[in-house]
Amino acid sequence: MTGGPIRRRRWRRWPLSRQIAIVLAGAVLMNALLFVGTMTVFVSIEEQRIERTLSPAAIRALRASEASRLPRTEDLAAYLHETHGMEDLVDERINTALALFTLVAATAGFALGYVLLGRLGRGLNNVAHAARRVAEGDLSAQASAPKWASREEYQLASDFNAMSRSLQRAERELAESTAAVAHELRTPLTILRGRLQGIEDGVFPGGVEEMRGLLFQVEGLGRLIDDLQTLNLAKSNRMLLDLATIDLSEQVEHVLAVVRPDLEAAGLDPVLDLVPVMVVADGGRLRQAISAVLNNAQRYAAQSGVLRIHTRIDGEDGVLEIVDHGPGLPPGTSERAFDRFWRAEGSRARHSGGTGLGLAIVRVIVEAHGGSATLESHDGGGTVFTMRLPRAGRST
């Protein structure tokens, strides 16, 4: 479901303050109508009761007075005599009726408010119920917004559902990451334990070559730990950057001077098209990201020939593009390529030497600099990695 329709439905709803004001106004109006109606009935009944106690002469005087005519003297005298002292009794009955009608109106207003506000507040109850389920461990709980939900209730339910989905996603990612880390650690540890046990038992010689192989496994574990630490620092916003104005093309050359022999050994021919691009970045972290991208190309685009590396200026961004002619990415997996421990196919397995964290680290480093990183397949076969970083002196 897209954000547009949700936003339109949200703004078609009334805010809670307006709903409450309408309920209060309705309750006041209902009480007023109820009060006026009951008082009218009461006065009519009282008039009929009084008339039943009057003599014909007194009734004639009352009718003449109601018709704005002067009653006869004997009729008026009879009316005054028969109604003498009746005012106190009428006032007492009116006060009793007022108290009774006020109680009835208050009860009716309470009942109306209870029913209507109960319906209007059902969205809050739904969120509270869903929150209790989440507190009990059910992260799949979702809160529904009833038909008459206010704007605030609808927004609260939407935000709660988004939070619940985020918690589900975080729990799933944690479980997957834990399983992946255990898998990545198990292979080198198994090799180390087996080799060391073999050396102890005299099965394997404890020579230089054997030690070199064991050291390679230890270095792999060290790289995995460093990668996990980098991701953890980025996730907790504790990655410290030593920002300075540096030339992106020079950083590429520094990295390439170290990794070029490995790239060429893997059947890749780096072709440079570099122009000076001054960016604001941490040189060490930037070289780490560039090295990870080239290592990824070496591993998954081996024997594919030309590896084009290009820097350019695009508006207020400095851009690095690395284009290989390997197998490329399966359709619809461009974004997943930056997920932790994700591998597109069976060939991207542990024995390839990677931890599955390279591109994930690239993205967190680039985004920590306020930039962006993408990886897409291109028509000629292979992938295009694009890194964008803020140029030095760009407008803010």
Side-chain angles (χ1 to χ4, degrees):
M1 184 177 295
T2 60
I6 292 177
R7 190 176 298 110
R8 286 195 294 272
R9 283 198 296 272
R10 173 179 178 266
W11 287 108
R12 280 203 299 266
R13 297 176 181 272
W14 286 357
L16 184 61
S17 58
R18 185 184 301 176
Q19 290 184 340
I20 293 176
I22 290 176
V23 171
L24 293 177
V28 171
L29 179 61
M30 184 195 70
N31 287 341
L33 294 175
L34 182 64
F35 187 82
V36 171
T38 53
M39 286 300 297
T40 300
V41 173
F42 172 77
V43 169
S44 177
I45 294 174
E46 281 297 301
E47 288 178 350
Q48 294 176 9
R49 187 186 65 80
I50 292 173
E51 287 182 7
R52 286 194 296 269
T53 64
L54 297 178
S55 63
I59 291 176
R60 287 195 299 272
L62 178 61
R63 294 288 182 265
S65 177
E66 291 174 349
S68 300
R69 293 184 286 104
L70 183 65
R72 292 189 300 177
T73 303
E74 59 272 18
D75 293 344
L76 180 60
Y79 178 80
L80 293 176
H81 174 71
E82 294 175 16
T83 58
H84 178 69
M86 192 176 292
E87 291 84 355
D88 294 339
L89 178 60
V90 172
D91 289 343
E92 181 180 351
R93 292 177 63 84
I94 289 176
N95 290 335
T96 301
L98 285 174
L100 179 62
F101 297 157
T102 301
L103 179 61
V104 171
T107 302
F110 173 81
L112 179 65
Y114 182 83
V115 172
L116 294 182
L117 291 178
R119 291 179 63 87
L120 296 179
R122 191 171 299 169
L124 299 178
N125 292 333
N126 292 345
V127 173
H129 178 68
R132 284 194 296 271
R133 289 176 57 191
V134 170
E136 293 170 357
D138 182 9
L139 299 183
S140 65
Q142 296 282 286
S144 60
K147 180 179 179 180
W148 300 107
S150 64
R151 184 182 301 168
E152 292 84 354
E153 288 175 293
Y154 186 82
Q155 185 63 51
L156 178 62
S158 299
D159 292 344
F160 177 87
N161 292 339
M163 180 196 70
S164 177
R165 289 190 294 269
S166 296
L167 289 175
Q168 280 186 280
R169 185 167 56 253
E171 184 182 46
R172 183 173 61 253
E173 290 177 354
L174 177 61
E176 292 174 353
S177 295
T178 301
V181 169
H183 173 74
E184 296 293 338
L185 291 175
R186 186 180 296 114
T187 300
L189 287 176
T190 300
I191 294 174
L192 284 172
R193 182 174 59 184
R195 290 290 182 176
L196 291 174
Q197 186 68 44
I199 292 173
E200 182 182 19
D201 295 340
V203 177
F204 300 115
V208 175
E209 290 298 324
E210 194 68 30
M211 292 298 104
R212 185 178 294 114
L214 295 178
L215 181 60
F216 176 79
Q217 297 297 329
V218 172
E219 289 175 348
L221 289 174
R223 286 195 302 271
L224 176 59
I225 293 172
D226 291 341
D227 291 346
L228 290 173
Q229 183 182 26
T230 299
L231 291 172
N232 180 62
L233 290 174
K235 190 73 173 179
S236 59
N237 294 321
R238 291 187 292 113
M239 180 184 289
L240 299 179
L241 299 176
D242 185 14
L243 297 178
T245 300
I246 58 178
D247 188 347
L248 178 59
S249 63
E250 288 184 359
Q251 304 305 312
V252 173
E253 291 176 341
H254 291 329
V255 174
L256 201 58
V258 176
V259 303
R260 181 185 287 273
D262 294 330
L263 293 175
E264 293 176 346
L268 294 174
D269 179 20
V271 175
L272 305 184
D273 180 15
L274 304 179
V275 297
V277 180
M278 305 307 294
V279 297
V280 179
D282 182 325
R285 289 295 186 184
L286 186 55
R287 289 191 296 273
Q288 180 184 2
I290 297 171
S291 178
V293 176
L294 293 177
N295 183 262
N296 188 77
Q298 173 189 339
R299 188 174 303 117
Y300 304 128
Q303 309 302 323
S304 61
V306 173
L307 180 68
R308 188 171 64 86
I309 305 174
H310 173 52
T311 58
R312 58 185 171 87
I313 296 174
D314 184 8
E316 295 187 337
D317 293 333
V319 180
L320 167 64
E321 283 185 352
I322 300 178
V323 183
D324 66 60
H325 298 278
L329 293 170
T333 60
S334 296
E335 193 63 25
R336 292 194 61 195
F338 293 92
D339 292 347
R340 301 181 185 186
F341 300 107
W342 182 82
R343 294 182 175 92
E345 54 192 49
S347 63
R348 296 191 172 197
R350 180 67 182 87
H351 61 74
S352 65
T355 64
L357 296 176
L359 291 183
I361 291 175
V362 171
R363 169 161 284 185
V364 298
I365 290 176
V366 174
E367 291 182 349
H369 285 81
S372 64
T374 60
L375 183 67
E376 299 177 347
S377 296
H378 62 81
D379 296 337
T383 59
V384 180
F385 171 82
T386 305
M387 175 194 300
R388 289 180 173 271
L389 293 172
R391 287 178 56 207
R394 66 181 290 182
S395 59
T396 58

